[in-house]
Amino acid sequence: LDPVLTMKVLKLVNSAYFGLSREVTSVKHSVVYVGINTIKNVAISIAAIGVLPHTSSSGYNLDQFLQHSLSTAAIARLLARSKGVPESDLGDYFVASLLHDIGQMVVGQYMPEEFQSALAICNEREIPICEAEREIFGIDHAEIGAMLAESWQLPAALISCIRNHHQVGELEEPTVLEKTIFIANQVSKLMGGDRSGLSQQEPVPEVVSSWLGMPVSEVADSLNGLDEEIEKCNIFIQNN
């Protein structure tokens, strides 16, 4: 019912990201062509990017955040597809990737001094940012992001993925979604280079390593069309 959201959804559905053979002119038609779950995920993605602050007193870089999130999404989609995940479910992997670090934006916006302290520890001791955050303010961005997702009443599987994307090895039986987002996050950090202490690699748990079947360093090269997929994902930035 929101005309602006409708316009953005239709723009994305008609973009190269979906590659439809004909133009879709209504949300009803878009549901027919790409499915209700995909349209739901597109709307969530547009709304989530739309509420992100453009500046932060902590110096947190929104553009780098979005590039990391979107490259994670591209990697996750291709990796999930290679693992046999149905096309109709790949939208869930996109949204989980887009939102996995949303808690970082919250911390950077509302706790700028504490976040700067956490980054300093992260850089000095070369530890993941989540560990530094727990030392500084007793909670990490993954938990904060999950709390935000809960307040938005997002699906339980998505909330769990956000909450556990740094702690997959502690789960008794991580889902394919959780394992995929963990790996995609690591690969994206490898590809993105330095992000002011935010690119520290994490050990890959055995349950994830055995499922992946290759070193994390080889994943990007194994995914055909990754550069093109990342370029397609950038439409989500251009659309907001």
Side-chain angles (χ1 to χ4, degrees), residues 153-232:
Q153 300 181 29
L154 298 183
L158 178 55
I159 294 169
S160 177
C161 190
I162 295 171
R163 175 170 282 124
N164 295 303
H165 74 272
H166 288 296
Q167 305 179 81
V168 176
E170 298 179 16
L171 301 177
E172 186 174 340
E173 291 186 22
T175 63
V176 171
L177 178 63
E178 288 164 337
K179 290 182 285 193
T180 300
I181 301 309
F182 176 87
I183 291 298
N185 186 31
Q186 304 308 310
V187 176
S188 178
K189 288 190 287 187
L190 276 173
M191 294 175 60
D194 181 53
R195 291 175 62 225
S196 301
L198 300 177
S199 296
Q200 296 294 338
Q201 299 298 298
E202 300 164 65
V204 181
E206 173 59 31
V207 66
V208 178
S209 178
S210 59
W211 170 81
L212 180 62
M214 71 178 78
V216 169
S217 59
E218 297 178 7
V219 172
D221 289 338
S222 75
L223 300 175
N224 294 328
L226 178 56
D227 289 341
E228 292 82 357
E229 187 74 14
I230 292 175
E231 184 62 31
K232 288 179 184 178

Side-chain angles (χ1 to χ4, degrees), residues 118-139:
L119 279 177
I121 291 176
C122 180
N123 283 317
E124 179 182 340
R125 290 162 45 189
E126 298 185 349
I127 61 175
I129 185 62
C130 56
E131 294 182 21
E133 289 169 340
R134 293 183 205 120
E135 287 189 25
I136 294 296
F137 37 85
I139 191 173

Side-chain angles (χ1 to χ4, degrees), residues 17-61:
Y17 182 79
F18 288 97
L20 298 181
S21 60
R22 59 176 297 177
E23 183 179 12
V24 173
T25 57
S26 73
V27 172
K28 182 177 180 180
H29 286 159
S30 68
V31 169
V32 172
Y33 284 102
V34 300
I36 185 67
N37 192 50
T38 296
I39 295 303
K40 175 203 71 177
N41 285 326
V42 167
I44 289 173
S45 301
I46 293 171
I49 292 175
V51 302
L52 293 177
H54 291 281
T55 59
S56 170
S57 57
S58 70
Y60 194 89
N61 191 307

Side-chain angles (χ1 to χ4, degrees), residues 1-15 24-27 42 46 238-240:
L1 299 178
D2 185 303
V4 175
L5 182 59
T6 296
M7 178 187 68
K8 291 183 176 182
V9 166
L10 291 177
K11 180 180 177 182
L12 279 168
V13 170
N14 286 303
S15 73
V24 173
T25 57
S26 73
V27 172
V42 167
I46 293 171
Q238 300 163 14
N239 202 48
N240 278 273

